[in-house]
Amino acid sequence: MSQKKSSLRNALSVAGSLLAVLLICAACAMPVPGQTAAETEVSVIDVYIGSDTNISDWWSNSIKPAFDKAHPGYELNIIHTGSGGGGNGPIADRAMAALETGNDPGSDYFETFNPLQPIGAMEAGLWQEITEDNVPNLANVIDSARRSSNGFDIPYRGSQVLLAYNAERLLQILKDRGEVGSDATEVPSEFVPATWPELMEWICAFPGEFIYPRPDTTGAGREFVTRAVFQANGLEVDRFSVQAYAEQYGAGELTADQIAEINETHFAGAWEQLNAIEPCLYDNGAYPSGSSAETRLLVDNLTTMITIWSDQALQAKGLGLLPEQTKFIQLDDLPMVGGYASSTIPTNANDLEGALLLANYLLSAEMQESVVREIGGFPAISWDLLPSELQEDFNDVITDTVPSFSSSWRAAMFDGWYTHVAPDVERE
Amino acid sequence: MTVMRSVAERSLRLVAGRPWFGICLLLLLALVVLGPMLNVFLWAFTRNWTYPSLLPTIWSIEFWDDTFTRADIAEGFIDSVWISLIVTGLSAIICLPAAYAFARMQFPGRTFFLLSFLATNAFPRFGLYITIAVIFFRLHLIGTVPGVVLIQLVNTLLFMIWIPTAAFQGVDRALEEAALDVGASPLRVFVQVTLPLVAPALAAALLLTFVGAFYETQGALLVGVPEVQTLPVVMIRLINNQVIVQYGAILSVALWVPSLLLLVFAQRVLRGNTIASGFGV
Amino acid sequence: MTVTGSRGSLPEPATYSGRFRIPQSVLGYTLILLPLLVMGTLILYPAFLSVSDTLTDRNPDGSLQVSLADYAEFFDTPLAVRNLAFSLRITAITVAVLFLLGFPISLYLRFTRGRLGDLIQSLALFPLFVPGIIAAYALIRFIGDNGWLERFLVLLFGYEGFTSPYLRPAGIVVGLAWEGISITVLILTAGLSQIPDSLLETATDVGANRWQSFWRITMPLMKRSVLIVLTLNFLTVFGSFTIPYLLGPASPEMMGPYMRRTFYDANLPSRAQVQAVITFLISGIVSLLYVRSVVSQKVEEES
């Protein structure tokens, strides 16, 4: 009995302390939004960041100081809600509820948000329509960025997938082959691909030295495969719009015939190219699951070239986590671009005027340069409006052509890749 | 048959009570079981670790701060704790009265119904989740907290019914009857006599359920994303798509703490057989 | 679970002095109704609905007719058949590996007392307390290309020929074996512990006759535990997701990742439903064996 009692006490105390620890942790981890300093006469703009930490760092460290300085009387309050699904969603729900009740929404600016959410928000008039009247710099936004917008959001930074290569390793391979002298210090430019056809040639010229991840696991794989699809379709990027899909295949689940048809008509050329390079890939096509595993191959010096999200690449390079001689390239003929991040402004914002001012400021040449330099993104305005030295520095990655590729096409593409490309690899 | 028998016979001779076999087994298990965990532990304190060094080339704790200030991790943690608490609470409310009934009441089909909960183990888990997700899809429960709670509830039924049932059955009725004889009310007998006796098993069932829900990955991934991201789902994202591998390592170390507590708890209270009873042994 | 006390002896309603007595069976049914309802809605109904959905086709006029077309499509898709065959092969291998690893360990633990045995038991049960997701992450770092294991082999033994099982079929087997070893040992030791010492002692002496008594007496007594372990491992491995998703190759895929990809990435939910029902049917016999062996054990215990 006494033994039973003591084991009961142990059981309860351990269980109790475990729950207590968890609850305390939950309490401290709870974010405290909307802390505003109201002593001075400045108007505080609450900005909600629904992206990864490098984006919120960039807002806190670059945009906020610049904006506060350029617009005395305003002060940005940066609140990070995190990437991934949750993110800004609850904040938008709150703004929506506030719109119905007339309460304070507690938010002025959503760094990344889809104006089609929450359901019913468009009809209720939650989001501010963006025009050249209230955001004059919208006039400079390029067509490909506007295409992704419905007029109630501000596309302000593009994300892109780059090719990253370890120049030191490549140079060593060239030396071993006698393609360059043993005293060479740089990789000659003819050994670095600049277009898609050159990349395809490069991959098989250096077997085992290139890899891309599975397309459904990361944008670094998805954009590479998408780029192959564009190539196979004569770079006709408008063939893959939402409307084009709906017209050809409707909205329901694809039938077996439609799946076969979509692969034959739109993807066959891409599968052919990707199958052709497969024997030349790292470990005969050891497609990693996600960009983390893929990047390890570069970091552990197992391969020379990979595909990688530009913002992650710059962040990791900055922290010294990539090989020292890692260099980045973008394809000249058509880049691998993921799409644009768009901001939204609720019509019931505390300071609507300030929020619109911020939107306009983000589309200024100065901030668009920051997009390129600090987060490795793509500008939403034309490169012509950016300083000429920036254009020179980023000569390898410049383009104003950003293709669109809707999510319905993506689903079919993922399935097609697994059916037509991946199974050819035999890895026992 | 004779070959098989002689192989089995020889292996039995080798195995039975030989210390060197035990020591080899111990070393092998230590390498295979502890090796990966130790490796992750080291990664959590690493800045750079180049091949072929056996230990990190540059040690650092700089990523710890970054990891815990990441909003997705903080939010995932809160989501996970709440969802696991709700699942555990709900499961207790649903199952514990039933467990009492199974242990103490006689009704036709009692054994059949008790055994029917084996159905939760009799389906290949992920296939079952897919069929549930199809229904949730129609009911718009995909990407909602109720959806995640319900799918995680499936896992908890067997443990939450079988372990407490066995515990209630294990209580010596003579103690209760003695208390009733001296005039205590049935409620009082339940609270003061029965409950303390079954408490360790109930605590074990609750804790196993909580920890099970806390770490449940596949159901949450299937019906939770993208709106609801529990910590294991965030972890999948970090494993797959975070170039800075330290985040995953640090989160692994931190995530594992509740499990470690369970391990300590388990050694004090649970006998292995309690867990085994949840699998029908 | 050892059940002690006066189980089987009925509670005496008379000891509770109540004026209106609800019949015990009514009360019992009321209390067990809720979990049965939950099981019905979340397990039996979805499974039933998927079976009926995939077995019927809607005619143009809106009426339903029984049709095996969905299943014909599955077996006409080479990738689907390949993934199914692959899943079965990996499952069979993993179940065998788990048994071959788990049985000697359990046998050893049954025969051994003392610190060494305790340590081995703790280590064998350790993976039970490591969530699958963390195990997967740890194994990627440990067995991956240029991982810790490879570094040890190269630096300590000069062995260069290591091929990482990561992203290969072997990676799935390694991961699932790591995860499953605890339950295997747990169930087998529970089974062995039900056999009286006197019977086992005959087996520790290794004379041929004694050996035969082990083979004839101990093994039959173990049959049920062995059956439970084999069937339970089959169901767990066949229905697994996290380990094959994170450690396995892009192709072929286990049914778990394949179904998720079909449901989610390829946006073909009704195909995923067909795949799910096929996993039910394939594992049906195993499920029945599992349920039967557990039931016979329980019934024996109860009586």
Side-chain angles (χ1 to χ4, degrees), chain A residues 291-345:
Chain A
S291 47
S292 177
E294 186 204 21
T295 310
R296 290 316 302 168
L297 299 178
L298 185 76
V299 175
D300 287 336
N301 200 22
L302 289 160
T303 194
T304 301
M305 191 185 287
I306 59 168
T307 60
I308 191 168
W309 276 115
S310 58
D311 54 348
Q312 288 193 329
L314 290 194
Q315 191 190 12
K317 181 104 194 278
L319 287 167
L321 300 177
L322 296 182
E324 211 176 310
Q325 289 290 311
T326 303
K327 298 201 166 149
F328 304 113
I329 33 175
Q330 179 58 281
L331 300 173
D332 279 348
D333 42 356
L334 183 71
M336 295 180 281
V337 178
Y340 287 89
S342 279
S343 305
T344 54
I345 300 172

Side-chain angles (χ1 to χ4, degrees), chain A residues 135-306:
Chain A
V135 179
N137 281 339
L138 191 67
N140 298 331
V141 172
I142 54 177
D143 285 346
S144 41
R146 283 195 184 203
R147 206 165 31 214
S148 66
S149 158
N150 74 343
F152 290 81
D153 55 340
I154 310 118
Y156 85 104
R157 60 179 173 92
S159 54
Q160 57 174 326
V161 171
L162 300 173
L163 299 168
Y165 69 100
N166 181 347
E168 195 185 345
R169 184 178 163 98
L170 182 54
L171 190 63
Q172 193 55 52
I173 294 171
L174 291 170
K175 282 179 184 170
D176 292 347
R177 289 184 181 180
E179 305 248 21
V180 298
S182 58
D183 53 347
T185 54
E186 271 191 37
V187 177
S189 63
E190 70 255 38
F191 295 107
V192 179
T195 62
W196 180 264
E198 281 175 32
L199 176 62
M200 294 294 110
E201 261 174 51
W202 189 97
I203 291 169
C204 278
F206 297 92
E209 298 299 325
F210 179 84
I211 194 67
Y212 66 94
R214 302 173 201 173
D216 59 327
T217 58
T218 162
R222 184 184 69 222
E223 296 312 323
F224 181 82
V225 176
T226 309
R227 182 63 185 77
V229 171
F230 283 135
Q231 189 71 24
N233 287 279
L235 303 186
E236 285 174 37
V237 297
D238 291 332
R239 282 179 69 168
F240 297 95
S241 64
V242 190
Q243 296 84 344
Y245 183 91
E247 277 162 25
Q248 293 172 66
Y249 303 105
E253 196 175 321
L254 294 175
T255 64
D257 291 341
Q258 281 177 321
I259 293 174
E261 202 263 340
I262 202 170
N263 274 290
E264 201 163 304
T265 325
H266 299 282
F267 298 142
W271 305 150
E272 200 179 305
Q273 293 176 59
L274 295 177
N275 278 323
I277 59 167
E278 199 161 68
C280 311
L281 296 176
Y282 169 72
D283 207 2
N284 298 316
Y287 300 108
S289 171
S291 47
S292 177
E294 186 204 21
T295 310
R296 290 316 302 168
L297 299 178
L298 185 76
V299 175
D300 287 336
N301 200 22
L302 289 160
T303 194
T304 301
M305 191 185 287
I306 59 168

Side-chain angles (χ1 to χ4, degrees), chain C residues 265-283:
Chain C
D265 291 330
N267 197 16
L268 302 168
S270 72
R271 269 32 169 258
Q273 226 174 355
V274 175
Q275 292 160 5
V277 174
I278 284 173
T279 66
F280 295 165
L281 295 179
I282 296 266
S283 53

Side-chain angles (χ1 to χ4, degrees), chain A residues 1 4 7-8 10-11 14 18-19 22-23 25-26 29-30 52-53 80-87 217-218 289-293 295-296 312 315-316 319-321, chain B residues 43 47-49 63 70-72 74-75 77-78 81 85 196-197 199-200 203 207 210 226-227 229 237-247 258 261 265 268-269:
Chain A
M1 192 62 202
K4 257 190 180 159
S7 75
L8 164 67
N10 283 337
V14 175
L18 172 63
L19 288 182
L22 288 169
L23 284 174
C25 294
M30 201 80 79
D52 222 327
T53 35
H80 189 202
T81 56
S83 61
T217 58
T218 162
S289 171
S291 47
S292 177
T295 310
R296 290 316 302 168
Q312 288 193 329
Q315 191 190 12
L319 287 167
L321 300 177
Chain B
W43 262 108
R47 184 186 171 80
N48 288 70
W49 192 347
F63 294 101
R70 283 181 65 95
D72 53 352
E75 268 181 28
F77 181 76
I78 296 167
V81 170
L85 283 176
L197 289 172
L207 210 58
F210 180 86
E227 281 80 11
Q229 305 223 358
R237 210 148 41 80
L238 291 183
I239 291 182
N240 270 347
N241 285 325
Q242 181 46 255
V243 168
I244 302 169
V245 293
Q246 282 86 346
Y247 290 151
L261 287 177
F265 174 79
R268 288 187 184 181
V269 184

Side-chain angles (χ1 to χ4, degrees), chain B residues 34-47:
Chain B
L34 298 181
M37 298 309 289
L38 194 61
N39 190 14
V40 166
F41 192 76
L42 290 176
W43 262 108
F45 299 97
T46 294
R47 184 186 171 80

